[in-house]
Amino acid sequence: MHLAEMRTLPQALAMLLRVLHAQLSALWLCLAPFSCWLRGALLPGRSPPLLEEGAGEPDGAEVPTVPTSVNYHFTRQCNYRCGFCFHTAKTSFVLPLEEARRGLTMLKEAGMEKINFSGGEPFLQERGEFVGKLVQFCKQELKLSSVSIVSNGSMIRERWFKRYGDYLDILAVSCDSFDEEVNVLIGRGQGNKNHIENLQRLRKWCRDYAVAFKLNSVINRFNVHEDMNEQIKALNPVRWKVFQCLLIEGENTGEGALREAEKFIISDEDFERFLDGHRELSCLVPESNQKMRDSYLILDEYMRFLNCRNGRKEPSKSILDVGVEHAIKFSGFDEKMFLSRGGKYVWSKADMKLEW
């Protein structure tokens, strides 16, 4: 090796070291916001501190909303005509079963833990077979921790429980009054069928087939003065959801609406008085208009998220077309309100420790 080459070799190494040092310094500046968080995460017994807002994220980046609990209204068709209904039969569309399963799989991959099937009346489609197959798929294939249904109960038969009861965590039955005349006024009357007698049968079947029983009631002008304490105690639901009657533009009020719910509306003060009369019931879960409007992730029959923040239902694009992460940005979902109203609770029947 020539002497000149020997002199240039240390110089070349020095230059290489300077370049490496500059690159490592730049990398450290990028990682600095995470260093404290990482140390906290690795130390046993300590929770990692929250990162500063925007740290380590490109400008404008958003943390995606996780669809922990989703309400899928796969049909709008119903056999009742409740005067205050805010999800009315504006279409008869129902997704093919395989498309519904594809969407549910996408939701599970995005973080869904609980699915609630609603309508319309879920048991109208194929006499309950459609919702039964979805329930079985979500529990058996997707292994969701909670699968539930909201129904008026009029079309459920015992054979359905025999076939699908193992896969269902919670059945929520709508019951707004224990006075059959009031039920008829509201729109829950069905000829000679008695809504209350049917409710009692469903309660027994839930006990017989190990399904948690829940009640939903919409408080309105016709039932706001009713004392339901004794009946609720006798039924002993795991939860009694009590909703304040809600107006939704285009559904039960205003242009294009299929209902005129104004006559059912009660004031906030009337709603609070009803709640005060039932506070001793440990199963009571009240929901005012504001809590209802912002705190639910609602999918319609096309698997579009419905944003209800402006008093009407504004749909996103379907998750089947644009994916969950994109569609959910337009859902109007308020996660803080979801948590404050008790949206996250013990919702798997395996964890409820109920006496069947």
Side-chain angles (χ1 to χ4, degrees):
M1 182 180 291
H2 294 294
L3 184 61
E5 292 175 327
M6 293 178 65
R7 277 200 300 266
T8 59
L9 182 61
Q11 293 173 350
L13 287 172
M15 182 176 294
L16 178 62
L17 288 172
R18 283 196 295 272
V19 171
L20 287 172
H21 182 267
Q23 290 178 341
L24 287 171
S25 297
L27 179 62
W28 173 249
L29 286 173
C30 293
L31 294 177
F34 296 92
S35 60
C36 291
W37 183 90
L38 185 60
R39 285 197 298 272
L42 295 176
L43 287 174
R46 287 184 59 184
S47 298
L50 294 175
L51 292 176
E52 292 183 7
E53 185 177 352
E57 296 178 1
D59 289 344
E62 295 180 3
V63 178
T65 299
V66 177
T68 307
S69 176
V70 177
N71 296 272
Y72 177 25
H73 295 250
F74 66 83
T75 179
R76 284 177 170 267
Q77 297 298 300
C78 189
N79 58 328
Y80 279 8
R81 289 192 57 82
C82 302
F84 47 70
C85 179
F86 54 80
H87 199 75
T88 54
K90 305 195 82 170
T91 78
S92 59
F93 181 80
V94 177
L95 274 173
L97 184 64
E98 287 309 310
E99 281 293 274
R101 285 173 171 165
R102 180 166 75 90
L104 291 166
T105 302
M106 294 168 66
L107 288 162
K108 169 62 189 288
E109 291 170 351
M112 179 174 69
E113 299 174 22
K114 180 183 186 298
I115 184 71
N116 179 55
F117 295 107
S118 189
E121 172 48 49
F123 284 83
L124 266 180
Q125 189 72 12
E126 298 176 12
R127 296 180 178 272
E129 284 299 303
F130 187 87
V131 71
K133 290 171 183 174
L134 291 180
V135 165
Q136 183 174 359
F137 174 76
C138 286
K139 184 58 77 170
Q140 200 171 56
E141 302 298 325
L142 300 185
K143 301 189 184 306
L144 296 183
S145 64
S146 183
V147 181
S148 63
I149 300 174
V150 174
S151 168
N152 62 38
S154 64
M155 300 191 68
I156 307 177
R157 302 294 179 261
E158 187 175 7
R159 63 178 178 271
W160 191 94
F161 282 94
K162 290 178 180 178
R163 184 174 297 179
Y164 299 112
D166 285 347
Y167 311 111
L168 184 65
D169 290 279
I170 303 168
L171 175 65
V173 182
S174 300
C175 179
D176 304 315
S177 176
F178 293 92
D179 182 333
E180 197 60 28
E181 290 184 6
V182 173
N183 282 321
V184 171
L185 280 173
I186 287 171
R188 291 201 188 277
Q190 224 192 358
N192 295 325
K193 294 182 180 180
N194 187 297
H195 190 72
I196 308 305
E197 290 176 3
N198 194 51
L199 185 68
Q200 301 288 349
R201 274 195 299 274
L202 291 169
R203 180 65 184 98
K204 180 182 182 299
W205 289 339
C206 282
R207 189 180 290 112
D208 292 346
Y209 294 94
V211 174
F213 179 76
K214 176 182 168 186
L215 275 178
N216 287 353
S217 300
V218 177
I219 307 309
N220 61 84
R221 175 188 162 199
F222 296 102
N223 66 1
V224 69
H225 300 297
E226 186 173 340
D227 182 350
M228 304 185 188
N229 281 283
E230 293 307 313
Q231 292 90 342
I232 299 297
K233 286 177 185 176
L235 288 167
N236 192 27
V238 293
R239 282 161 74 85
W240 179 33
K241 292 286 283 290
V242 174
F243 304 98
Q244 183 180 1
C245 187
L246 176 68
L247 293 179
I248 295 290
E249 186 77 22
E251 295 280 356
N252 60 14
T253 188
E255 187 177 351
L258 299 184
R259 298 287 191 278
E260 295 179 356
E262 289 85 355
K263 67 180 180 180
F264 292 91
I265 292 300
I266 59 172
S267 67
D268 294 346
E269 292 75 19
D270 284 339
F271 184 61
E272 284 300 318
R273 273 192 289 272
F274 179 87
L275 297 178
D276 289 341
H278 297 84
R279 296 277 186 199
E280 292 183 6
L281 296 171
S282 60
C283 60
L284 176 67
V285 182
E287 291 193 13
S288 64
N289 284 175
Q290 189 60 37
K291 287 183 178 180
M292 290 173 65
R293 187 175 286 117
D294 302 339
S295 64
Y296 284 87
L297 276 174
I298 301 173
L299 278 181
D300 73 359
E301 63 272 28
Y302 302 100
M303 283 198 157
R304 304 177 300 185
F305 286 109
L306 298 178
N307 186 335
C308 301
R309 284 199 169 190
N310 296 320
R312 57 184 178 274
K313 292 182 175 177
E314 299 171 340
S316 70
K317 292 182 179 179
S318 174
I319 67 170
L320 298 170
D321 297 328
V322 299
V324 175
E325 186 175 338
H326 179 79
I328 206 170
K329 292 177 182 178
F330 302 92
S331 65
F333 180 61
D334 185 337
E335 187 173 17
K336 289 181 180 177
M337 186 67 79
F338 166 75
L339 294 172
S340 71
R341 71 166 171 81
K344 190 75 183 283
Y345 58 96
V346 179
W347 52 33
S348 171
K349 65 182 179 183
D351 299 327
M352 290 182 189
K353 299 178 182 178
L354 297 175
E355 294 182 6
W356 306 110

